[in-house]
């Protein structure tokens, strides 16, 4: 089951000054992250955030680069396995306890849709697909879709915002914030703000 979670953000520019005001909302909805930046730079920044290593990115592998459609698809990434799978599942999904088996592994992938919606205005929607491997008491194994709790999507949007606007970007700000930067790629090597926990994992 895919749960579309995105933070709606409207960024407007004050021409000639290079100054940007941001109006943030903590309400999540299907409208996505809206920025007054051209489509191509936003698509490129989204691609970089998906593949770059933390703290700047999410260290995922792209399955579809989205060059023609604006839809970026990652390969399935194993998040956790073994006895801690149940606890780690709760960090990225709405976990339900099993009465007829155990959680053995957790994996996820992301779909990011980037689309132009106006002159120099782009919308980004992140969609996480999380699955848990259930093993019944009889030994049968089955991958079960688990609803995302929004942490993966929020992590992606935070990295994307910092990629475009710099390290001062925050999803948590509720008041208008003044940035003295044009939208451009700004490295943030000192940032350790990554909402998604990174357990030690084995790939299968």
């Amino acid at each position: 089951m895919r749960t579309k979670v995105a933070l709606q953000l409207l960024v407007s520019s004050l021409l000639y000054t290079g100054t940007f005001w941001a109006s943030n909302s903590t309400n999540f909805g299907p409208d996505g992250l809206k920025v007054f930046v051209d489509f191509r730079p936003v698509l490129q920044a989204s691609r970089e955030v998906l593949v770059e290593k933390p703290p700047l990115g999410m260290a995922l592998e792209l399955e579809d680069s989205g060059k023609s459609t604006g839809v970026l698809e990652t390969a399935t990434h194993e998040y956790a396995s073994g006895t801690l799978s149940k606890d780690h599942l709760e960090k990225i999904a709405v976990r339900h306890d099993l009465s007829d088996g155990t959680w053995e592994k957790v994996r996820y992938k992301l779909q990011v849709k980037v689309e132009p919606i106006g002159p120099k205005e782009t919308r980004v929607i992140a969609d996480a697909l999380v699955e848990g491997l259930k093993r019944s008491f009889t030994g049968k194994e089955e991958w079960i879709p688990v609803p995302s709790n929004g942490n993966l999507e929020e992590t992606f949007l935070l990295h994307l915002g910092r990629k475009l606007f710099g390290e001062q970007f925050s999803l948590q700000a509720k008041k208008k914030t003044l940035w003295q930067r044009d939208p451009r790629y700004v490295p943030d090597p000192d940032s350790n703000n990554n909402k998604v926990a990174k357990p030690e994992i084995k790939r299968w």
Side-chain angles (χ1 to χ4, degrees), residues 48-67:
E48 292 173 4
V49 166
L50 289 173
V51 301
E52 288 179 1
K53 295 181 179 179
L56 301 178
M58 302 188 71
L60 298 173
E61 181 181 345
L62 273 179
E63 202 166 66
D64 188 332
S65 66
K67 289 182 178 180

Side-chain angles (χ1 to χ4, degrees), residues 4-163:
K4 290 187 176 179
V5 183
L7 180 66
Q8 186 169 357
L9 174 73
L10 186 60
V11 179
S12 59
S13 62
L14 301 179
L15 297 178
Y16 309 114
T17 65
T19 302
F20 282 76
W21 289 91
S23 175
N24 289 22
S25 169
T26 54
N27 295 323
F28 289 91
D31 290 338
L33 174 69
K34 295 179 181 179
V35 292
F36 279 108
V37 183
D38 286 334
F39 166 76
R40 291 187 183 278
V42 176
L43 179 62
Q44 178 62 26
S46 298
R47 186 182 296 116
E48 292 173 4
V49 166
L50 289 173
V51 301
E52 288 179 1
K53 295 181 179 179
L56 301 178
M58 302 188 71
L60 298 173
E61 181 181 345
L62 273 179
E63 202 166 66
D64 188 332
S65 66
K67 289 182 178 180
S68 60
T69 64
V71 178
L72 303 167
E73 298 259 8
T74 73
T76 299
H77 174 74
E78 183 176 327
Y79 178 63
S81 63
T83 56
L84 294 179
S85 294
K86 181 178 71 171
D87 294 330
H88 288 312
L89 177 61
E90 191 170 25
K91 295 177 182 179
I92 61 173
V94 181
R95 191 200 80 197
H96 60 275
D97 291 323
L98 300 175
S99 60
D100 57 345
T102 58
W103 295 113
E104 298 296 319
K105 293 181 181 180
V106 182
R107 67 185 186 185
Y108 68 83
K109 62 181 179 180
L110 286 178
Q111 181 187 84
V112 176
K113 184 177 182 181
V114 183
E115 58 181 357
I117 56 176
K120 295 188 176 182
E121 186 177 4
T122 305
R123 176 167 53 203
V124 183
I125 296 176
D127 185 11
L129 173 64
V130 183
E131 294 180 305
L133 182 63
K134 171 189 173 183
R135 178 179 293 168
S136 68
F137 295 132
T138 63
K140 179 183 177 182
E141 293 186 345
E142 179 184 9
W143 285 104
I144 306 295
V146 188
S148 169
N149 65 10
N151 277 347
L152 290 168
E153 295 91 336
E154 189 172 338
T155 296
F156 169 78
L157 293 177
L158 177 63
H159 288 326
L160 178 61
R162 289 185 171 181
K163 173 77 72 173

